[in-house]
Amino acid sequence: MAIVLGNYSEDELNTILKEFKIAPKKYSFESLTAGYINDTFLVYSEEKPLFILQRVNQNVFQNIEGLMMNIYRAFKNLKAKDYSQIKLQPALSGKAYLSHKTGYWRVMTYIVNSTTHDTTTKPEIAFEAGRIIAKFHILLAPEKVTNYVDTIPKFHDLELRKMQFLAALARASEEKKKIAKSAILFSEEMLIKLAVMNDAELPLRVCHNDTKLNNILFSKETQKALCLIDLDTLMTGHFHYDFGDATRTIVNSAAEDEQNHDKITFEKHLFEAFVDGLASNGSFLNKKEIQALAYGAILMPFLHGIRALTDYLNNNIYYKIAYENQNLDRCMSLFDFTKKALANTDYMNSVLSDKLKF
Ligand code: GN1
Ligand code: MG
């Protein structure tokens, strides 16, 4: 009997793989369902995991050519003795991806004996996450930002997310607005509080822009971080975006859609380990960037929360959902962490100034 993998059969996926420059054989697949956007499969040959096959979501990523160019450029630089390289397997056409009637597909090498962590309680993991994010930025720092395309313009822009939220609110049903009342009020309050940052003074860097903990590969053998994965949102940005996304998923050991908010915590020992990891490759940030980090740790969970709320009000048109109110649960949990990060602003600044010296 044919195995069905989400919307695809094993035969369909094999037909797609035939269009890539890889050994022609019959592969088998495992569907990886952690992401909210793309369709992702681990490709096996005789029980051995060899590649990652992905169909890139065209609704979200409208400039696939630009997105693949960004990844191609970055991958060339992202290699070092303490940073594992991932390679794109080109299509038969020579392009880095395949344009097919079912969408855009790409194949990347799979790093054996690697794993990811959705959350952690271990300072060693938090340290390694910091170390590899710093390494990623150090390796990409010499890149010219003008060579990279902003594939989702204003991705982490507060003003854009505010406009999208207000538009969704204006169209939302009374019932949804009632259910989401406390989240709507919190959004209005935070939009004012967070509008104070002047980004113009901060340098633009090539950022990952989605540095949540499960976008970091770890070695199953040594527990060391190997590299960052999921580079779709790689484009210019400010370092505090990458810092904030990592913080919200490292120092909080609850899931992103956790409904029991008692489980959402700001673990100081994990924060300190993470910052130690960031500092372990030497300094690479300027003073203003360091001063923006605590703000980033509040901004990022808030931005993801308001985006989830907007999607809830829009009847779930952006994120894949596993159940009806998942977007609202994600929003509420992200907002809860936002509050906890906000309450720790002074603490974060004192750790950051001590460990990163500002
Ligand atoms: C989306 O699908 P995934 O997990 O790679 C989103 C990120 C969020 C993440 C989790 C392009 O990424 O910004 O951090 O969900 N990516 C996009 O909330 O919107
Ligand atoms: Mg992503």
Side-chain angles (χ1 to χ4, degrees):
M1 205 180 78
I3 303 171
V4 179
L5 298 139
N7 297 325
Y8 314 94
S9 69
E10 196 165 72
D11 283 350
E12 280 170 315
L13 295 178
N14 266 303
T15 308
I16 286 158
L17 280 185
K18 283 199 190 110
E19 301 289 326
F20 285 87
K21 289 185 187 171
I22 58 172
K25 44 177 140 169
K26 194 164 168 15
Y27 294 96
S28 57
F29 304 87
E30 179 190 343
S31 175
L32 304 180
T33 54
Y36 293 107
I37 308 281
N38 294 330
D39 299 324
T40 308
F41 305 91
L42 183 50
V43 181
Y44 291 85
S45 167
E46 283 137 29
E47 320 272 294
K48 275 208 329 240
L50 291 184
F51 305 110
I52 292 288
L53 167 67
Q54 269 186 321
R55 179 179 177 273
V56 184
N57 184 325
Q58 259 173 283
N59 290 332
V60 170
F61 300 109
Q62 288 169 7
N63 180 358
I64 308 271
E65 181 79 36
L67 175 152
M68 292 305 295
M69 273 313 295
N70 285 350
I71 296 180
Y72 181 77
R73 274 181 196 283
F75 272 174
K76 281 201 293 192
N77 297 278
L78 289 169
K79 52 178 172 192
K81 72 172 187 338
D82 49 357
Y83 194 102
S84 306
Q85 190 178 25
I86 295 177
K87 287 186 187 145
L88 283 162
Q89 300 289 139
L92 294 181
S93 66
K95 280 200 170 200
Y97 62 93
L98 169 72
S99 165
H100 184 258
K101 62 178 190 300
T102 55
Y104 291 96
W105 294 82
R106 65 178 172 220
V107 176
M108 287 167 289
T109 49
Y110 176 76
I111 300 182
V112 286
N113 283 328
S114 61
T115 188
T116 54
H117 305 286
D118 288 332
T119 58
T120 192
T121 51
K122 296 192 181 127
E124 298 80 7
I125 299 280
F127 177 93
E128 277 299 302
R131 182 186 65 76
I132 209 77
I133 289 172
K135 191 75 198 185
F136 174 94
H137 275 272
I138 290 166
L139 290 170
L140 292 181
E143 285 289 273
K144 257 198 188 157
V145 287
T146 47
N147 281 338
Y148 287 78
V149 186
D150 279 337
T151 49
I152 308 184
K154 299 182 182 286
F155 188 47
H156 293 319
D157 185 90
L158 189 65
E159 196 53 34
L160 172 74
R161 299 310 181 186
K162 174 181 165 182
M163 300 319 288
Q164 292 174 334
F165 161 68
L166 293 177
L169 194 58
R171 285 191 302 257
S173 70
E174 288 308 316
E175 195 201 343
K176 284 205 152 178
K177 285 197 277 193
K178 208 164 131 198
I179 298 173
K181 192 169 175 203
S182 68
I184 294 169
L185 289 175
F186 182 69
S187 298
E188 289 165 349
E189 181 194 319
M190 286 306 288
L191 282 166
I192 298 169
K193 245 189 209 148
L194 290 170
V196 296
M197 170 62 79
N198 180 5
D199 284 359
E201 294 190 336
L202 298 166
L204 272 182
R205 293 177 179 273
V206 180
C207 289
H208 180 286
N209 290 307
D210 192 12
T211 44
K212 51 188 181 147
L213 180 60
N214 65 8
N215 273 339
I216 298 174
L217 274 193
F218 285 81
S219 159
K220 275 187 193 162
E221 284 158 9
T222 64
Q223 326 304 324
K224 296 259 181 238
L226 299 170
C227 61
L228 269 65
I229 54 170
D230 184 12
L231 270 59
D232 289 330
T233 49
L234 182 129
M235 55 188 152
T236 59
H238 299 302
F239 183 74
H240 67 271
Y241 301 158
D242 281 0
F243 178 83
D245 253 338
T247 303
R248 75 179 178 88
T249 49
I250 291 169
V251 315
N252 166 22
S253 24
E256 196 172 287
D257 59 356
E258 178 58 62
Q259 293 176 49
N260 177 357
H261 291 184
D262 293 342
K263 290 192 183 159
I264 300 172
T265 52
F266 187 103
E267 297 295 340
K268 292 185 172 175
H269 68 297
L270 297 177
F271 182 78
E272 286 162 37
F274 171 56
V275 179
D276 280 334
L278 274 184
S280 67
N281 285 298
S283 83
F284 63 100
L285 299 168
N286 75 26
K287 198 170 159 185
K288 286 218 161 79
E289 287 178 295
I290 297 170
Q291 285 167 342
L293 295 182
Y295 171 85
I298 302 160
L299 174 75
M300 295 312 293
F302 175 71
L303 275 184
H304 288 298
I306 199 170
R307 288 175 58 198
L309 174 60
T310 301
D311 203 36
Y312 169 79
L313 296 172
N314 280 336
N315 300 319
N316 313 315
I317 52 174
Y318 184 89
Y319 296 108
K320 288 188 201 169
I321 46 162
Y323 57 90
E324 182 53 30
N325 280 354
Q326 191 183 19
N327 267 317
L328 185 61
D329 289 343
R330 282 181 54 224
C331 160
M332 297 301 282
S333 125
L334 285 155
F335 281 178
D336 190 79
F337 182 75
T338 306
K339 289 177 198 157
K340 287 169 182 162
L342 189 62
N344 279 292
T345 309
D346 291 345
Y347 160 77
M348 285 193 278
N349 276 326
S350 87
V351 171
L352 291 161
S353 69
D354 176 38
K355 294 187 188 292
L356 302 178
K357 308 271 178 290
F358 70 77

